[in-house]
Amino acid sequence: MLWGLLRLTGTNVGRVVSNLERLGVGHSYGVVDVLHLQTTKPRLVNKKKKRFQITDRMSTEEIHELVDSSLHLTFDYMSLMIIASIIVVTGLVTNSSVVVVAGMLISPLMGPLLGMTFGTITHDFVMVRKGTFNEFIGILLAFAVGAISGLLIAFLFNDLVVWGQEEMKARGSLDGTYSGIVVAAASGLGVGFSVSTGGISAMIGIAISASLLPPICNAGLNLSYGMVVMYWGTGLDGGAGPSYDNGTNWLHMSLWSMLIFAVNLLLIYICGLFVFWLKRIQPPLPDPALAKFLEEDSPSFKVSSEDTEIPLLSTLVDK
């Protein structure tokens, strides 16, 4: 049995693992384990001048484990989605931006969306399907909470609520689309850089939730409320709230919110893909491509009981 232990700085792990894979290690034969080392003595010192490259990142396998840990459909995921949606709906109805932000803090929508993005770039379509399904469930829960809240307010608490205040209008109009695009694009870029370099930032998760959760909750709220006003008359809208074309404007606001949500989701996905492409995250080599590489590009690398030749560590890092 042949085994080796390599101590590497974080920026070199991805290159070494990638080059080992291209040589067949961990794919056609052998196992590659990546362990996080808290400290070591003597310290690892890079004798060369430190170079910061745009492709510096964790190994693809490490990123895969990080993303996979946050995309599963669990009881906690669904519970957090419902709780976050209730808080956001409360903030929208009471026109409180602080309460809306509080709901974003606990929203878990980023995990499945990451799975969709990372699975696409690595051609892991099982991860893509799982992430898409779980994201859909989260979105459906948020929309349902908004719709149920709209019905309850229309029938039970209409006299206590001034409907259609600024927090709602900001997520249900053309002006809201412009600001949403900026936040969504920046969030997609931010989550790509954050995940590929070592962790999922809570602040990035909040930015993503800001782009997705309030618009979809607002869509459910205004859809159900507008339909009640349309079919049961404007009396429901005559208490503390203004009359709005028998509910049609609330339905229009709901459609705008759905559009904002869809545009933001697409932008986060595309910008995340762009960052992963920039970081040169690629799908693993299939067996035919690997065999061709070993035959044509690496004829000197052999592992057998009689003859073993190992590339130098510097070759693995710099290649």
Side-chain angles (χ1 to χ4, degrees), residues 245-306:
D245 297 338
N246 295 330
T248 55
N249 273 28
W250 306 129
L251 298 181
H252 293 161
M253 187 179 293
S254 175
L255 292 176
W256 272 113
S257 296
M258 293 180 190
L259 177 63
I260 291 171
F261 167 81
V263 170
N264 291 353
L265 181 67
L266 183 61
L267 271 175
I268 293 171
Y269 176 78
I270 292 174
C271 291
L273 284 178
F274 172 73
V275 173
F276 288 148
W277 171 80
L278 207 62
K279 291 289 186 177
R280 296 183 184 176
I281 296 176
Q282 299 173 342
L285 286 171
D287 287 334
L290 179 64
K292 183 178 180 181
F293 174 82
L294 292 175
E295 180 181 353
E296 297 179 359
D297 298 338
S298 186
S300 64
F301 186 83
K302 302 174 182 178
V303 176
S304 66
S305 58
E306 300 177 355

Side-chain angles (χ1 to χ4, degrees), residues 77-282:
Y77 171 81
M78 293 188 290
S79 299
L80 286 173
M81 274 306 310
I82 294 173
I83 294 170
S85 301
I86 291 173
I87 295 173
V88 167
V89 165
T90 303
L92 292 172
V93 171
T94 59
N95 198 37
S96 172
S97 58
V98 175
V99 177
V100 173
V101 172
M104 300 173 194
L105 290 171
I106 59 175
S107 170
L109 276 176
M110 182 176 69
L113 184 54
L114 265 178
M116 294 164 55
T117 309
F118 186 77
T120 301
I121 202 72
T122 58
H123 296 179
D124 186 346
F125 298 111
V126 173
M127 178 177 281
V128 173
R129 287 194 297 270
K130 185 184 296 184
T132 303
F133 178 77
N134 296 349
E135 187 78 3
F136 174 76
I137 294 298
I139 292 166
L140 190 63
L141 288 172
F143 185 85
V145 168
I148 293 171
S149 300
L151 290 175
L152 290 175
I153 292 170
F155 285 111
L156 301 177
F157 306 107
N158 188 66
D159 292 338
L160 304 176
V161 175
V162 179
W163 199 263
Q165 298 191 73
E166 291 305 315
E167 286 296 319
M168 283 189 185
K169 292 179 181 178
R171 276 103 180 165
S173 63
L174 181 60
D175 293 338
T177 307
Y178 298 142
S179 60
I181 286 175
V182 175
V183 174
S187 301
L189 295 173
V191 74
F193 284 113
S194 176
V195 172
S196 61
T197 54
I200 300 178
S201 170
M203 297 305 295
I204 299 297
I206 295 171
I208 287 180
S209 296
S211 302
L212 301 180
L213 190 57
I216 199 63
C217 289
N218 199 46
L221 266 174
N222 284 282
L223 179 64
S224 61
Y225 190 90
M227 291 182 69
V228 169
V229 172
M230 179 178 291
Y231 289 105
W232 275 271
T234 56
L236 286 171
D237 219 11
S243 178
Y244 245 59
D245 297 338
N246 295 330
T248 55
N249 273 28
W250 306 129
L251 298 181
H252 293 161
M253 187 179 293
S254 175
L255 292 176
W256 272 113
S257 296
M258 293 180 190
L259 177 63
I260 291 171
F261 167 81
V263 170
N264 291 353
L265 181 67
L266 183 61
L267 271 175
I268 293 171
Y269 176 78
I270 292 174
C271 291
L273 284 178
F274 172 73
V275 173
F276 288 148
W277 171 80
L278 207 62
K279 291 289 186 177
R280 296 183 184 176
I281 296 176
Q282 299 173 342

